[in-house]
C-alpha cells in the first residue's frame, strides 16, 4: 500500500488511521505568519461513520487504505431482525459478498432485492453500502385517503414493504407503489 505524505493528503482519499479505513472529507493547508505550515483534515470512519479532525505536520504520513467502491447487486436477504445478512453479487465475477447490519447503515430501509448499489469493500469485506438515489416501494400500511385531499395539505405516515416509514400526501392509499428519495427518506411521487 502507498504511503501518503502531506502533499498527497486531499479530499476524497481513503487512509488507514488507528487500524480502520477513513475517508478525508476536508483538507485545509494552513500557513500561519509564525511557525511551521500544517494541514488540518476532517476524516470520517468508513466502518461506523464517526468523524474527527486531525492536524498534520510536514513530517506526518498516512498509509493509503485499500478500500474500493464498486457496483454490486443485492441478491438476497437472509435471517430475521438484527441477525439479517444482505448478500451482494459482483456482476462481473458473480462472486457473493455478505454485508452485516452495521455495514448497511440506513440503506437496509430501501432495499428489497435486485437493486444495484455502490458498495465499499475493505480487505475483501463490505464496510458500507449506498442505496440507489431513488427506489420504488409498495405501501403496506397507511390510513385511507379521503376524496378532496390535495398534495399541499400535510401528510400521513406510510409503512413500506421493507419496513421503512415515510411521510406521504393524504391522497396516497395502501397498496400503491411510490418513489422515495433515499438520500432524504422523503416521498417523491406515485408510480403509475
Amino acid at each position: 500500500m502507498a504511503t501518503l505524505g502531506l502533499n498527497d493528503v486531499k479530499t476524497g482519499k481513503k487512509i488507514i488511521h488507528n487500524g480502520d479505513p477513513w475517508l478525508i472529507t476536508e483538507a485545509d493547508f494552513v500557513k500561519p505568519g509564525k511557525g511551521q505550515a500544517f494541514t488540518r483534515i476532517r476524516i470520517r470512519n468508513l466502518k461506523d461513520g464517526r468523524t474527527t479532525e486531525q492536524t498534520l505536520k510536514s513530517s506526518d504520513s498516512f498509509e493509503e487504505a485499500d478500500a474500493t467502491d464498486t457496483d454490486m447487486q443485492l441478491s438476497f436477504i437472509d435471517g430475521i431482525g438484527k441477525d439479517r445478512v444482505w448478500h451482494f453479487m459482483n456482476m462481473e465475477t458473480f462472486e457473493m459478498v455478505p454485508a452485516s447490519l452495521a455495514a448497511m447503515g440506513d440503506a437496509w430501509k430501501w432495499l428489497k432485492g435486485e437493486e444495484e448499489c455502490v458498495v465499499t469493500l475493505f480487505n475483501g469485506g463490505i464496510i458500507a453500502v449506498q442505496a440507489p438515489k431513488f427506489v420504488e416501494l409498495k405501501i403496506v400500511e397507511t390510513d385511507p385517503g379521503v376524496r378532496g385531499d390535495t398534495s399541499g395539505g400535510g401528510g400521513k405516515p406510510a409503512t413500506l414493504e421493507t419496513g421503512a416509514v415515510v411521510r406521504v400526501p393524504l391522497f396516497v392509499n395502501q397498496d400503491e407503489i411510490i418513489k422515495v428519495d433515499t438520500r432524504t427518506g422523503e416521498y417523491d411521487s406515485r408510480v403509475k
Side-chain angles (χ1 to χ4, degrees), residues 13-184:
K13 289 274 189 181
K14 295 177 180 107
I15 60 171
I16 300 288
H17 178 63
N18 294 336
D20 284 339
W22 294 72
L23 175 70
I24 299 174
T25 57
E26 286 180 37
D28 295 322
F29 180 75
V30 180
K31 188 169 186 334
K34 280 187 169 178
Q36 227 178 8
F38 61 91
T39 300
R40 184 176 296 124
I41 60 172
R42 177 175 288 279
I43 53 179
R44 180 173 47 90
N45 190 316
L46 291 173
K47 287 187 174 180
D48 59 21
R50 290 180 298 133
T51 61
T52 187
E53 278 192 13
Q54 295 283 317
T55 302
L56 308 175
K57 298 180 284 192
S58 60
S59 60
D60 292 340
S61 64
F62 281 107
E63 188 177 335
E64 189 169 14
D66 188 21
T68 57
D69 291 339
T70 184
D71 290 336
M72 295 183 97
Q73 183 180 35
L74 176 60
S75 192
F76 65 96
I77 303 168
D78 195 21
I80 299 171
K82 293 187 180 199
D83 295 329
R84 278 187 290 185
V85 177
W86 290 259
H87 296 271
F88 288 87
M89 180 173 58
N90 184 323
M91 298 304 291
E92 294 172 6
T93 64
F94 302 107
E95 174 190 6
M96 298 292 282
V97 183
S100 66
L101 182 60
M104 291 299 292
D106 284 342
W108 70 269
K109 295 180 188 179
W110 316 116
L111 304 177
K112 61 182 179 177
E114 298 187 11
E115 294 93 352
E116 288 217 9
C117 302
V118 175
V119 175
T120 303
L121 298 168
F122 179 67
N123 291 340
I126 295 175
I127 58 170
V129 175
Q130 187 178 354
K133 291 180 180 155
F134 292 96
V135 292
E136 295 177 359
L137 296 169
K138 183 178 180 179
I139 297 175
V140 294
E141 185 182 334
T142 191
D143 295 333
V146 180
R147 186 180 172 110
D149 286 338
T150 61
S151 63
K156 60 184 178 181
T159 305
L160 304 175
E161 60 187 305
T162 59
V165 177
V166 297
R167 200 140 185 85
V168 297
L170 295 170
F171 62 82
V172 176
N173 294 312
Q174 187 168 317
D175 295 328
E176 286 192 76
I177 296 175
I178 62 170
K179 188 175 182 181
V180 179
D181 185 341
T182 62
R183 297 165 293 184
T184 61

